[in-house]
Amino acid sequence: MLRQSNIYFCVTIFILLTNSLCLAQEPKVTRYNGKVSQQFVMNRESVIIDHATGKKISYAEYDERLKRNPGLYRTLPVFDKYGKASSFELVKKNQIYTHEDGSVINNPDLMPEVGEPISPFVMEGLDGKEYNSEKLRGKYILLGFWVKYEKPLYSLASTKVISDFINEHKKRGVDIVSLGTTLNTREECIEAIPKRNCGFIPVPESYGFNHRYKISETPYFILVDKKGIIKAMAPHTEFSKISDLVLR
């Protein structure tokens, strides 16, 4: 009887250890909620807009205002359809929304919403092709916003749900143009992208689009319908909001 109890005890311990090991090895999807440090350089040739009037001001006037009122203003980059900081906005600090930790909420009302048209974009993929939102009408578009194609955010677990979604619809005859933004250079993308289907076309040095669409959590996704209207939005941890949709 004692022998049988010992065997039962050993088997139980083995099962518990096996389950624990399996759980530890199970791929997990994480997310990034922090701030990415980037430097956007402004010079005398830069376009500067006065937030209060919406009018362009010269660099000399901008410089004079800062000297006259030290600490009163903040300069915010404005991102165009190419994901570039093509102009800068001069804003009084009391007109800026801020988080409790002091970080800036830049134009919070401009983050895309479901049912609205997507703001135009032009992205150049790692495949050398240009993806213009205006010319992609008639196709579904899945925009994925990343920081870098590196673990822990970028992993097999994090990309498989995307590739499965794309492949399942492709079998039904529904093609989805899937694009992924990143800070990575072209060379870094080539090195980072594994020899497997990651579910999207990488867009090197395109993190400016994260700013353009006010994406604060990554990975994050926006699904655009054939008319250019936002159909769904979700962080990666809630990707089922997108993957559960059946597109036609």
Side-chain angles (χ1 to χ4, degrees), residues 68-169:
R68 234 179 19 241
N69 306 283
L72 179 63
Y73 291 97
R74 186 182 180 101
T75 308
L76 302 175
V78 178
F79 294 85
D80 60 20
K81 66 179 182 179
Y82 299 97
K84 307 299 182 185
S86 57
S87 63
F88 294 82
E89 190 174 38
L90 185 63
V91 186
K92 285 186 178 180
K93 287 187 177 179
N94 60 7
Q95 296 174 319
I96 297 177
Y97 295 90
T98 57
H99 292 287
E100 289 183 4
D101 63 359
S103 58
V104 176
I105 307 174
N106 183 6
N107 298 329
D109 56 315
L110 293 183
M111 185 175 182
E113 291 185 9
V114 173
E116 295 182 348
I118 188 74
S119 298
F121 66 80
V122 179
M123 299 184 183
E124 185 177 340
L126 187 62
D127 57 2
K129 296 180 182 179
E130 181 180 273
Y131 295 89
N132 187 324
S133 58
E134 299 298 315
K135 296 179 180 179
L136 290 175
R137 294 289 175 87
K139 296 182 179 181
Y140 286 101
I141 306 168
L142 180 65
L143 297 178
F145 301 90
W146 303 75
V147 177
K148 284 190 173 185
Y149 301 144
E150 298 172 0
K151 290 183 178 181
L153 301 183
Y154 180 82
S155 63
L156 177 60
S158 62
T159 60
K160 189 176 185 303
V161 290
I162 306 165
S163 57
D164 286 349
F165 175 67
I166 301 297
N167 290 337
E168 285 170 12
H169 279 86

Side-chain angles (χ1 to χ4, degrees), residues 201-217:
I201 298 163
V203 184
E205 298 182 85
S206 57
Y207 193 80
F209 288 105
N210 294 45
H211 292 286
R212 176 168 173 77
Y213 295 112
K214 310 299 182 291
I215 305 300
S216 59
E217 176 185 334

Side-chain angles (χ1 to χ4, degrees), residues 162-232:
I162 306 165
S163 57
D164 286 349
F165 175 67
I166 301 297
N167 290 337
E168 285 170 12
H169 279 86
K170 193 170 185 178
K171 290 176 185 176
R172 301 190 192 109
V174 180
D175 285 329
I176 303 171
V177 177
S178 182
L179 304 165
T181 68
T182 180
L183 276 168
N184 292 120
T185 64
R186 180 178 179 81
E187 292 71 26
E188 289 172 337
C189 285
I190 292 172
E191 183 178 348
I193 299 299
K195 293 181 179 179
R196 60 176 169 80
N197 180 10
C198 62
F200 59 84
I201 298 163
V203 184
E205 298 182 85
S206 57
Y207 193 80
F209 288 105
N210 294 45
H211 292 286
R212 176 168 173 77
Y213 295 112
K214 310 299 182 291
I215 305 300
S216 59
E217 176 185 334
T218 55
Y220 195 89
F221 299 88
I222 296 178
L223 180 66
V224 183
D225 70 15
K226 295 179 179 181
K227 295 181 180 179
I229 305 299
I230 298 171
K231 187 175 182 66

